């Protein structure tokens, strides 16, 4: 019944997904500014992926044309997959921390001082910051929960893309 409700109105589903992304971004900012947790480079990459999913699903929900929705939903699916990959990599680093933990450079230091082709591998290499678990909920870290949400977004988007139009 829940799945039928989601897929019966794709515009509503896309708008709810956009709202969920905004809520997650707000919670991340709350953890950063009110609780005092500093985001690691991989956390910031996940935030950008969330912003991308929020914008693309929001744009997809604005117009009733199926072509418009499918184009933006496909882009949102790519961004959700990228976010899920980043969160999975960070979760793996948390379960298997590097032998030598170093703080490394921060996200903006990497992006400003290196070319994109050199900066991207550095971000995914992780550091001591990315392997630290500073907050948990029901036994899962922020990266674990982020992976679950990105995965859920990707599944819903994929089903919306492959289901036949009415």
């Amino acid at each position: 019944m829940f799945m039928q409700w989601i897929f019966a109105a794709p515009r509503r589903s896309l708008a709810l997904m956009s709202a969920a992304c905004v809520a997650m971004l707000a919670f991340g900012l709350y953890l950063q500014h009110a609780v005092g947790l500093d985001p690691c480079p991989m956390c910031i990459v996940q935030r950008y992926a969330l912003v991308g999913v929020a914008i693309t699903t929001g744009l997809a929900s604005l117009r009733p044309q199926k072509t418009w929705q499918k184009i933006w939903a496909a882009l949102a699916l790519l961004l959700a997959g990228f976010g899920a990959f980043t969160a999975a990599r960070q979760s793996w680093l948390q379960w298997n921390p590097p032998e030598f933990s170093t703080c490394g450079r921060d996200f903006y230091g990497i992006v400003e001082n290196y070319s994109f082709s050199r900066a991207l591998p550095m971000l995914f290499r992780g550091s001591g910051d990315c392997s630290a678990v500073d907050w948990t909920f029901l036994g899962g870290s922020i990266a674990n929960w982020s992976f679950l949400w990105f995965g859920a977004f990707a599944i819903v988007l994929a089903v919306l893309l492959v289901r036949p139009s009415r």
Side-chain angles (χ1 to χ4, degrees):
M1 177 143 167
F2 178 70
M3 295 302 276
Q4 184 180 15
W5 181 81
I6 285 178
F7 300 123
R11 289 178 66 195
R12 176 179 53 207
S13 302
L14 292 164
L16 285 173
M17 194 178 304
S18 182
C21 289
V22 170
M24 291 171 57
L25 287 165
F27 184 68
L29 291 173
Y30 164 77
L31 288 176
Q32 180 179 353
H33 296 290
V35 177
L37 299 179
D38 288 329
C40 70
M42 294 178 98
C43 296
I44 293 172
V45 170
Q46 291 171 56
R47 281 188 187 179
Y48 285 130
L50 263 179
V51 168
V53 172
I55 290 170
T56 53
T57 55
L59 288 171
S61 71
L62 288 178
R63 293 183 131 171
Q65 292 91 356
K66 298 292 182 199
T67 306
W68 174 270
Q69 289 176 3
K70 294 216 182 241
I71 290 170
W72 286 111
L75 185 56
L77 177 61
L78 289 173
L79 290 165
F82 177 70
F85 171 78
T86 307
R89 174 71 176 138
Q90 185 177 2
S91 294
W92 186 85
L93 282 171
Q94 290 173 348
W95 293 326
N96 303 300
E99 191 172 319
F100 300 102
S101 292
T102 62
C103 290
R105 289 181 169 258
D106 65 336
F107 176 80
Y108 298 106
I110 292 172
V111 172
E112 288 176 1
N113 294 319
Y114 295 100
S115 67
F116 182 74
S117 62
R118 286 190 61 205
L120 195 60
M122 293 171 109
L123 291 173
F124 289 105
R125 194 171 304 128
S127 65
D129 294 334
C130 293
S131 64
V133 178
D134 297 326
W135 181 88
T136 60
F137 178 71
L138 297 175
S141 68
I142 296 170
N144 302 144
W145 284 104
S146 181
F147 174 76
L148 288 175
W149 278 103
F150 277 122
F153 293 156
I155 290 169
V156 171
L157 288 164
V159 170
L160 285 173
L161 285 170
V162 299
R163 81 187 234 308
S165 300
R166 293 183 182 179

